[in-house]
């Protein structure tokens, strides 16, 4: 149960110019966002999505009342060649917020997980997915629909997700106040919004790229037609492309999924 007044009153001034729509249940907050005639910026928050959407036409399943599932409608005056900066911004600061929240709340004696970005915008903790973004830019080139799903208090994940998914609770071993977490996240977005507004796109790209653990790694890549390629990641390009070396040839992909074929294990550095 969200305390909307508390969230509204702790919000910074720059991020949302108008309102929060709180829906106890909705099919998908991104779908709902696209159905609105609004021209202003908005936050849409729900306890439960009946048909949550993931990237590449997949579903996003999330237990009722346990997690954060929300959409930010935000307008940015940004030209097409810099459009990926929106992804870099929302992805990087989501990672920073989750890592910081875990660092403040975890028993420091234990090994701190490796938090990193997995291209294009997943957040992993020790190689397990904690959060995903679905960013859409329908019709209006300045309006972005930024859908964010974070596994917070859910501890079990069904079927195929069981082994490769995690949550903040799985890491810090206690329940997390969803109001507190979303307030922290909105504040970090708000405090840093000038990076985008002042068009410091290369800076946010660098922060994002440096937080990705995949460069130089051997991976398996599955494109949108489910074709598999195995190779090494050479670069994450500024235009959003994933540059790989496959069978001695360089290839760049713009949409798809990667799977690491070797594990990374590194101590946390603050
Ligand atoms: C992915 O990793 O595939 C992206 C998942 C995005 C899920 C969020 S939950 C809130 C918003 N509404 C949706 O229907 N999807 C996004």
């Amino acid at each position: 149960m969200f305390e909307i007044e508390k969230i509204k009153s702790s919000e910074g001034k720059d991020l949302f110019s108008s309102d929060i729509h709180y829906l106890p249940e909705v099919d998908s907050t991104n779908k709902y966002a696209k159905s609105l005639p609004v021209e202003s910026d908005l936050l849409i928050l729900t306890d439960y999505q009946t048909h949550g959407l993931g990237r590449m036409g997949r579903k996003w399943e999330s237990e009722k009342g346990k997690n954060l599932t929300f959409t930010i409608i935000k307008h940015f005056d940004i030209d097409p060649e810099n459009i990926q900066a929106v992804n870099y911004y929302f992805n990087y600061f989501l990672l920073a917020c989750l890592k910081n929240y875990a660092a403040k709340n975890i028993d420091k004696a234990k090994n701190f997980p490796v938090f990193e970005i997995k291209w294009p915008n997943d957040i992993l903790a020790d190689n397990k997915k904690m959060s995903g973004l679905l960013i859409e830019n329908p019709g209006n080139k300045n309006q972005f629909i930024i859908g964010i799903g974070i596994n917070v208090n859910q501890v079990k994940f069904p079927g195929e997700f069981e082994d490769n998914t995690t949550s903040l609770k799985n890491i810090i071993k206690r329940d997390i106040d969803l109001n507190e977490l979303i307030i922290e996240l909105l504040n970090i977005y708000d405090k840093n919004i000038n990076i985008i507004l002042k068009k410091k796109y290369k800076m946010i790209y660098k922060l994002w790229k440096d937080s990705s653990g995949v460069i130089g790694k051997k991976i398996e890549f599955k494109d949108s037609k489910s074709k598999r390629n195995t190779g090494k990641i050479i670069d994450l390009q500024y235009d959003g492309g994933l540059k790989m070396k496959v069978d001695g040839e360089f290839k760049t992909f713009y949409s798809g999924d990667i799977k690491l074929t070797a594990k990374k294990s590194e101590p946390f550095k603050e």
Side-chain angles (χ1 to χ4, degrees), residues 57-78:
R58 288 184 296 235
K59 289 188 200 158
W60 180 263
E61 307 216 18
S62 176
E63 251 177 62
K64 193 175 201 160
K66 294 264 170 107
N67 302 312
L68 287 177
T69 46
F70 61 100
T71 295
I72 293 167
I73 303 181
K74 185 78 192 151
H75 291 74
F76 293 108
D77 171 22
I78 191 164

Side-chain angles (χ1 to χ4, degrees), residues 88 91 95 114-124 127-128 205 207-221 231-237 240-245 253 256-266:
Y88 303 147
N91 196 191
L95 171 86
V114 176
F115 275 84
E116 61 194 352
I117 285 166
K118 185 179 137 216
W119 181 92
N121 54 23
D122 287 350
I123 292 183
L124 307 184
N127 283 314
K128 295 186 176 190
Y205 163 64
L207 288 169
W208 174 84
K209 186 172 163 176
D210 289 349
S211 303
S212 164
V214 297
I215 295 178
K217 291 267 157 63
K218 279 192 117 181
I219 57 144
E220 186 183 282
F221 179 82
K232 198 165 114 176
I233 299 190
I234 304 298
D235 196 16
L236 301 177
Q237 298 175 179
L242 173 87
K243 186 173 178 184
M244 278 181 70
K245 195 168 184 185
F253 300 99
D257 264 324
I258 59 180
K259 194 173 147 198
L260 295 178
T261 52
K263 286 200 170 176
K264 178 184 173 185
S265 172
E266 229 180 47

Side-chain angles (χ1 to χ4, degrees), residues 5-17:
E5 287 315 313
K6 191 171 162 189
I7 297 173
K8 270 188 185 162
S9 61
S10 62
E11 232 181 67
K13 286 185 192 57
D14 295 328
L15 189 60
F16 305 107
S17 58

